[in-house]
Amino acid sequence: MKKYLNLFDFSQKVNYRTEILSGLTVALALVPEAIAFAFIAGLSPLTGLYAAFVMGLVTSILGGRPGMISGATGAVAVVIVSLARQYGVEYVFATVILAGIMQMLAGFLRLGKLMRLVPHPVIFGFVNGLAVIIFMSQMSQFQTVDGEWLSGSTLYIFLGLVLLTMIVIWGLPKLTKVVPASLAAILLVFGIVFFLGLETRTIGDIASIQGTFPPFHIPDLPFTWETLQIIFPFAAIVAGVGLIESLLTLNIIDEITETRGRGNKEAVAQGTANILSGLFSGMGGCAMIGQSLINTSNGARARLSGIVAALMLLVFIMFGSGLIERVPMAALTGLMIMVALGTFEWASLKTFRRMPKSDVLVMVLVTLVTIFLHNLALAVLVGVIISALVFAWDNAKRIRARKSIDDEGVKHYEIYGPLFFGSTTLFAEKFDVLNDPDEVVIDFKESRLVDMSAIEAVNKMTERYRKVGKKVHLKHLSGDCRRLLANADDIIEVNVLEDPTYKVVVDN
């Protein structure tokens, strides 16, 4: 329990200037994102902003990945939108709380290690799809409220400010890293718009962010079995989507920073944050890859940046709404476009000819599912399933049998490769029961019986030899294999040599 509750890691030096300035930059970038995701879910802007504050603060303090940013996300918004429209915001709060409880249980049960099952092509596809989503989401900023594309001087001013933001973010780090490039770009564009009096869209044109401290609020709904039946499916999906996106983001930040986060601790932190988000009028959320990349690209590596981002967001809501609402959307649009370009794994395109075709297929499929369905959990699940099936098919073809007859006329079958549900058919084809001599040895020294299908395949083979009155010796089988062999009787001799210690998976 102690490892989940220690708040700070003082083993590394903290660059306070970098952490504070990066946190301020992230806070500015969180505002339009939180508002947009709240609109997607059909909720008020403050519901998204409160979630961003609570999620960001709690996970920065308790999380397993310093430097990673959490908040209200589109993945969660897409899940709860139908619930919000049909039953109202109170059911959303209850759903988020229940999802948080599920995530905490997942962390305490150490289910974070299941992320090891996610292959690298799936991560590539997930990241590339997310980069495309981030980029495409910024295209709405080039449209009017009525959905018409900007034109004339309005378009030229907006596009010019976006390009200026991107150039500063790209070029400033080559000159100096005293100030985070993204913050410098936002301040520069803000100053140009303010002093030149340019007419362009600002945060205030999207929605007002003025509010109070997030109010504590127990969901006002009947605590009945019927209510649980309504919210449980949504809560399970929110919990799953949140954990998958958070743990994948953790892995990505791990690679960038060349350090190792703690998945189970992050799961507990995400659950705690969602519970408090639901209790403090927030829509819930998870890790945000865009804001996390902004933070790490600025050089932030400690918890302080996330804490500063969350607290500054609260300051914006309570005291600085008038100023923040005047920040040009062009600056934030340029920032998010640069995030999208930095998120995309361009190296994955160069490996198309060198990667196995199955890996390329998985990567492309996960990317497409992420882009068109906006369901990150489904995209990852599809990728893992296809990768597992490809792995099973490849290993199914690796079963081999070396055959020989010794001086005493005993035929030996030396089995190579894993024997499991996918390779049992090929295994059976290796034997010539009718034409074999009266005594046969099947040696599994270079093989392994993986599951119950393998045990059943050996059972059937020994049964075929038994029916024709031939004696079979089974060598190098583990103890649980011998116990599961129903046909090991007087004619079948199991293990005439030493026994291996591996175990067979019985819940096939």
Side-chain angles (χ1 to χ4, degrees):
M1 180 67 70
K2 182 179 178 181
K3 62 185 174 182
Y4 294 108
L5 299 179
N6 58 321
L7 301 186
F8 297 95
D9 179 9
F10 294 102
S11 61
Q12 57 179 338
K13 294 182 179 179
V14 177
N15 187 325
Y16 289 97
R17 182 185 62 190
T18 298
E19 297 290 322
I20 293 172
L21 293 179
S22 182
L24 176 60
T25 307
V26 170
L28 290 170
L30 278 171
V31 173
E33 294 281 299
I35 294 173
F37 295 144
F39 282 152
I40 290 175
L43 303 172
S44 70
L46 284 176
T47 307
L49 292 169
Y50 287 155
F53 162 66
V54 176
M55 294 293 303
L57 182 62
V58 175
T59 56
S60 294
I61 295 174
L62 298 177
R65 172 67 268 173
M68 192 167 76
I69 305 297
S70 295
T73 58
V76 173
V78 171
V79 174
I80 63 176
V81 58
S82 60
L83 176 68
R85 290 175 180 174
Q86 187 172 355
Y87 295 100
V89 69
E90 299 295 333
Y91 279 80
V92 171
F93 295 151
T95 298
V96 170
I97 293 172
L98 182 57
I101 294 173
M102 294 179 182
Q103 290 177 331
M104 288 191 70
L105 289 175
F108 286 127
L109 294 175
R110 305 183 63 79
L111 299 182
K113 59 187 177 184
L114 294 178
M115 291 306 297
R116 301 172 188 170
L117 300 178
V118 180
H120 220 63
V122 174
I123 296 178
F124 274 165
F126 166 83
V127 171
N128 291 347
L130 208 54
V132 174
I133 289 177
I134 293 173
F135 179 82
M136 295 302 297
S137 67
Q138 302 310 307
M139 295 300 101
S140 62
Q141 301 302 328
F142 292 87
Q143 297 175 313
T144 65
V145 178
D146 300 327
E148 298 291 332
W149 291 99
L150 299 178
S151 60
S153 60
T154 304
L155 173 62
Y156 299 142
I157 291 174
F158 190 87
L159 184 59
L161 294 174
V162 169
L163 292 175
L164 175 61
T165 303
M166 295 173 64
I167 291 173
V168 172
I169 294 175
W170 170 78
L172 186 60
K174 302 179 184 301
L175 301 176
T176 178
K177 295 184 179 180
V178 174
V179 179
S182 48
L183 177 60
I186 293 174
L187 294 177
L188 176 62
V189 172
F190 180 87
I192 290 174
V193 171
F194 180 78
F195 289 108
L196 297 183
L198 299 178
E199 291 291 332
T200 187
R201 182 183 300 173
T202 63
I203 290 178
D205 295 327
I206 301 177
S208 173
I209 68 169
Q210 185 175 5
T212 61
F213 188 87
F216 179 80
H217 174 71
I218 297 176
D220 183 14
L221 75 173
F223 292 93
T224 62
W225 176 250
E226 289 73 17
T227 300
L228 182 61
Q229 288 180 310
I230 293 172
I231 68 174
F232 184 84
F234 290 96
I237 298 174
V238 168
V241 168
L243 283 182
I244 289 174
E245 186 165 354
S246 297
L247 295 179
L248 282 178
T249 302
L250 183 146
N251 288 342
I252 294 168
I253 301 303
D254 279 355
E255 291 186 9
I256 294 174
T257 61
E258 296 182 352
T259 57
R260 183 177 179 182
R262 296 165 62 181
N264 293 314
K265 185 177 181 181
E266 182 64 35
V268 173
Q270 291 289 332
T272 305
N274 272 308
I275 292 173
L276 292 176
S277 177
L279 291 174
F280 283 91
S281 308
M283 59 178 280
C286 59
M288 307 179 75
I289 188 170
Q291 277 65 24
S292 298
L293 290 173
I294 292 173
N295 199 38
T296 54
S297 65
N298 288 335
R301 296 291 184 270
R303 299 180 185 275
L304 182 59
S305 55
I307 296 173
V308 170
L311 293 178
M312 289 305 301
L313 183 61
L314 181 62
V315 170
F316 296 161
I317 295 171
M318 297 180 63
F319 308 109
S321 58
L323 179 63
I324 300 303
E325 287 172 7
R326 299 175 66 178
V327 173
M329 283 303 303
L332 300 177
T333 299
L335 170 61
M336 295 309 297
I337 290 177
M338 290 300 290
V339 169
L341 295 176
T343 301
F344 196 90
E345 286 283 357
W346 299 100
S348 64
L349 301 180
K350 300 178 182 179
T351 60
F352 267 34
R353 295 182 179 180
R354 290 175 285 179
M355 291 173 64
K357 293 182 180 178
S358 58
D359 286 347
V360 174
L361 172 64
V362 169
M363 183 174 67
V364 172
L365 187 59
V366 172
T367 300
L368 294 177
V369 173
T370 303
I371 293 172
F372 291 105
L373 298 183
H374 287 212
N375 191 328
L376 305 180
L378 177 62
V380 173
L381 184 62
V382 168
V384 171
I385 291 175
I386 294 178
S387 297
L389 291 176
V390 170
F391 176 80
W393 176 256
D394 289 341
N395 279 274
K397 298 183 293 184
R398 293 178 180 175
I399 195 76
R400 297 286 188 272
R402 179 183 296 170
K403 307 170 188 178
S404 63
I405 298 178
D406 62 22
D407 297 336
E408 298 179 357
V410 178
K411 188 169 184 179
H412 294 258
Y413 287 90
E414 297 178 39
I415 308 301
Y416 294 83
L419 181 57
F420 66 109
F421 67 90
S423 59
T424 53
T425 301
L426 285 176
F427 170 77
E429 294 174 354
K430 304 298 180 184
F431 299 89
D432 187 3
V433 177
L434 295 179
N435 297 319
D436 278 347
D438 292 336
E439 194 168 357
V440 173
V441 175
I442 306 177
D443 191 345
F444 292 92
K445 184 177 182 179
E446 301 297 332
S447 180
R448 174 173 178 154
L449 276 64
V450 177
D451 55 15
M452 282 300 298
S453 297
I455 293 290
E456 184 59 25
V458 176
N459 254 328
K460 289 180 179 179
M461 187 55 57
T462 57
E463 177 65 15
R464 289 173 60 189
Y465 279 106
R466 188 189 65 80
K467 286 181 179 179
V468 296
K470 297 180 180 180
K471 191 175 184 65
V472 180
H473 302 276
L474 301 179
K475 298 170 60 176
H476 296 103
L477 290 179
S478 65
D480 59 335
C481 288
R482 286 180 290 145
R483 288 190 296 272
L484 293 170
L485 281 171
N487 296 326
D489 52 22
D490 294 337
I491 296 180
I492 312 300
E493 182 181 358
V494 183
N495 279 46
V496 296
L497 290 179
E498 67 276 5
D499 304 335
T501 58
Y502 66 80
K503 300 295 181 182
V504 175
V505 177
V506 295
D507 53 346
N508 187 32

